[in-house]
Amino acid sequence: MSTPERRSPEPSGSGQRRAPIPFIALRDTHPVVEVLGRMGIDPPASHAATPDREFRVSAAALGFGHGRDDSQGVLIKPASPSHCWWAFRDGRGGDVVELVRAVTGTSLREAVAVLEQGGPIAVNRDTSVGVGPDGRVAAQGGSYEAPDLDRTPAERVLAVNAEAWRYLTLPRLAERARAYVVYRGVDVSGLEVLEDASGGPLVGHTPKSPTGLVDQLRRAGFTEDEMVDAGWAARRTGDVPAAGVIIDRFRARILVPFKTESGEVVGVAARAVSWADGDRRPKYLNHPRTVVFDKSEALYRPTEHQVHRRGSAVVVEGTLDALAIASSAAAAGMSEHFAPCSQSGLSLTPAVAHRVAAISTRPPIVCGDPDPSGQAATARWATSTMAGLHREVLAVTLPAGMDPLDWLRTEGPVGLLAFSSYGLVDDDSTASPRPRSAGAVVAIRELDAALDAAQPASGRAVESHEVVGAVVPRLGQLAAHVPGEARHRFAVGAADVLAERIDGRPRDWYVDQITGWSTTRVSAAWGAGLGVSDGIAPA
């Protein structure tokens, strides 16, 4: 059965029915790389050899970013036509139609016309003034007002947040949210335990009315400026008939809160409760930046309990994944052994890495999704944490197509073993997912990068010694940032990958090479008067 195409609403007052927009055909006819080329943005040199591999482009090149930190950029996914881009800081993405619409500031049908007419696509640098209700972009001639970081004091924004969260977790809305997450697979008994311990609901839900929250905040005495500056309302601007109209930013979504250590709500992560391939809305929508919220510094933790000395922080991509682990642990009476957390996305920033590292003295466990994006994100965070915080990082990879929520729904309480570093596995003696040194995922990333860099223009095969000469020293230098046993585990994990993928040399040879480089690095550093304070671990 073919997938039905979504129809655009008929314009009011029109006596003629508009033809439906052929979204699937447009995605097939206009690949995202070709559309980027029409915007003057070229893919990396390795794209010709690996056309399905994901890559990133500058957010500024697409008119995103609002002049803020562009370190995360825009993820391009050529192999996913229905969701081929994601702007991390703006918290939006979609297919090529939505990309054209976002960078040009045009309406839906105008974006389709731009795609079909061919030729260059001009990027409108003024389109990122603000993201509209439920992540939609304003039509040409108007925009949505972004929160003003200087207009409303932080204390007042926190007051708006508190009232918004109180309203969104009223009994009827909280029950709708609870029913949804339980339907998705979150353990209901564990969720009840967590809610009893926290003294209130852990998940909220938007009202049915498009102005339900705005109306409540107005009744509570907050002004429209305060609602906009707190990130809960979307207000149209510009010379358009709807200018000044204000409605709820989040629609038909469940929400989980980002909180301060003292328990104050600073923002939310939202997920559409009904989303299917081809939907015009983003599945996930993050709170916009406000005077009290910056996603690059926010960490979602379902619980804030003290962690047992054998417990670990477990870093996952999705907020519902973190909630699923916390609920399963609570149901099993093992909450103190697990501290799940998420930044709600693929990237973990240095500011958040410090907060994760402070949760437990044991190595943090990173569980990215098993797809290439998730594994690349795991490798990036492990590398930066080892080099920047000088801490060992463990990684767990679940079976293909499964995230932690799926895994626990399938495996039940025994599935929690996948997120426990107690009785750490150093080899492949068990086929079940267990935390292991991040050496394997880091080695895959370093190996792919070395192959891309070494690929000769002539097209000749890359010699194995070229790759070994690039990858082994890098892995050895990274291993030098962690102490003896952790260094060996990292080397073994990396060596498994290199032995399998390069030229058949035995694993032990690569272990010796990596540990040799790390020992040389450690000895040279300590001989030069450097040490732990400089990020070099003792042998």
Side-chain angles (χ1 to χ4, degrees):
M1 181 182 295
S2 61
T3 304
E5 296 170 344
R6 294 178 61 86
R7 295 179 180 271
S8 181
E10 294 184 35
S12 58
S14 171
Q16 183 177 2
R17 185 179 183 86
R18 286 189 175 186
I21 296 175
F23 289 109
I24 296 175
L26 286 169
R27 296 169 190 156
D28 293 340
T29 308
H30 303 283
V32 65
V33 174
E34 176 255 325
V35 173
L36 289 173
R38 291 168 60 185
M39 298 174 184
I41 302 172
D42 295 325
S46 60
H47 176 72
T50 54
D52 289 339
R53 182 178 297 174
E54 299 170 358
F55 59 91
R56 298 192 186 207
V57 299
S58 164
L62 291 170
F64 302 151
H66 312 273
R68 306 190 303 256
D69 170 35
D70 185 27
S71 59
Q72 298 183 71
V74 178
L75 180 68
I76 304 300
K77 303 189 285 185
S80 303
S82 64
H83 197 78
C84 60
W85 66 280
W86 179 258
F88 289 95
R89 287 303 299 261
D90 284 55
R92 53 173 161 158
D95 61 9
V96 288
V97 178
E98 195 63 29
L99 177 62
V100 172
R101 189 182 179 199
V103 304
T104 60
T106 55
S107 68
L108 183 62
R109 289 189 177 273
E110 288 168 339
V112 172
V114 170
L115 265 180
E116 293 183 326
Q117 71 185 7
I121 298 175
V123 177
N124 182 355
R125 306 300 177 190
D126 295 326
T127 60
S128 55
V129 173
V131 180
D134 212 28
R136 292 178 173 83
V137 181
Q140 190 175 31
S143 62
Y144 288 99
E145 183 179 354
D148 188 326
L149 306 189
D150 299 317
R151 183 168 55 193
T152 303
E155 294 79 8
R156 194 64 176 166
V157 169
L158 288 173
V160 178
N161 291 351
E163 175 59 22
W165 186 248
R166 185 199 68 80
Y167 174 73
L168 296 168
T169 55
L170 287 174
R172 182 173 296 180
L173 293 177
E175 185 55 39
R176 290 176 63 190
R178 191 179 297 109
Y180 175 80
V181 298
V182 170
Y183 162 75
R184 288 292 314 282
V186 172
D187 189 293
V188 62
S189 60
L191 185 61
E192 291 173 351
V193 171
L194 295 177
E195 291 184 332
D196 288 343
S198 66
L202 299 182
V203 190
H205 199 294
T206 55
K208 293 182 179 180
S209 169
T211 60
L213 178 57
V214 166
D215 293 340
Q216 173 60 30
L217 293 175
R218 188 179 288 113
R219 287 192 295 268
F222 296 104
T223 67
E224 291 187 359
D225 284 351
E226 290 172 332
M227 299 177 204
V228 170
D229 294 343
W232 296 101
R235 181 167 57 189
R236 286 291 296 271
T237 62
D239 186 18
V240 293
V245 172
I246 186 168
I247 59 177
D248 294 355
R249 179 179 293 274
F250 301 102
R251 298 287 314 284
R253 293 178 181 272
I254 61 159
L255 310 103
V256 297
F258 291 100
K259 295 183 177 181
T260 64
E261 293 183 359
S262 59
E264 294 175 302
V265 174
V266 293
V268 295
R271 189 197 192 282
V273 294
S274 58
W275 190 93
D277 186 31
D279 202 318
R280 310 312 306 155
R281 306 169 301 154
K283 181 188 294 187
Y284 303 102
L285 185 62
N286 293 308
H287 211 89
R289 187 186 182 196
T290 70
V291 69
V292 300
F293 180 79
D294 186 333
K295 185 176 177 293
S296 67
E297 300 175 357
L299 182 67
Y300 169 67
R301 291 188 63 186
T303 59
E304 295 283 347
H305 59 267
Q306 187 70 29
V307 179
H308 190 275
R309 61 185 178 84
R310 292 177 177 172
S312 301
V314 184
V315 183
V316 293
E317 287 189 26
T319 52
L320 288 191
D321 294 326
L323 182 60
I325 294 173
S327 298
S328 293
M334 301 178 62
S335 288
E336 62 180 0
H337 290 274
F338 301 89
C341 53
S342 172
Q343 199 176 3
S344 182
L346 294 171
S347 295
L348 284 161
T349 59
V352 169
H354 279 84
R355 293 183 60 186
V356 171
I359 292 174
S360 170
T361 57
R362 293 185 68 83
I365 299 169
V366 184
C367 181
D369 287 351
D371 57 29
S373 295
Q375 294 303 290
T378 298
R380 283 194 303 271
W381 198 75
T383 299
S384 62
T385 301
M386 290 176 66
L389 301 182
H390 324 304
R391 291 281 300 273
E392 180 182 17
V393 176
L394 305 179
V396 58
T397 302
L398 299 176
M402 279 194 167
D403 57 25
L405 180 60
D406 299 326
W407 172 254
L408 290 170
R409 182 174 57 216
T410 302
E411 299 296 320
V414 71
L416 287 168
L417 287 173
F419 312 108
S420 172
S421 62
Y422 184 59
L424 181 63
V425 177
D426 289 330
D427 55 36
D428 292 324
S429 59
T430 174
S432 300
R434 291 296 304 274
R436 293 175 170 83
S437 168
V441 291
V442 172
I444 291 172
R445 180 177 180 235
E446 294 293 335
L447 183 57
D448 288 342
L451 288 170
D452 289 344
Q455 188 67 44
S458 63
R460 70 170 175 81
V462 179
E463 298 292 338
S464 62
H465 67 83
E466 297 177 83
V467 178
V468 172
V471 173
V472 169
R474 168 63 180 158
L475 294 174
Q477 291 167 9
L478 187 58
H481 288 281
V482 294
E485 289 186 9
R487 186 180 306 152
H488 178 74
R489 284 194 290 266
F490 180 86
V492 169
D496 282 335
V497 171
L498 301 183
E500 178 182 351
R501 293 186 55 176
I502 295 183
D503 59 2
R505 283 191 176 111
R507 181 183 76 170
D508 289 348
W509 186 89
Y510 285 106
V511 171
D512 291 343
Q513 293 295 308
I514 295 170
T515 54
W517 271 96
S518 64
T519 301
T520 300
R521 166 70 169 151
V522 171
S523 300
W526 280 81
L530 303 178
V532 174
S533 62
D534 304 287
I536 303 300

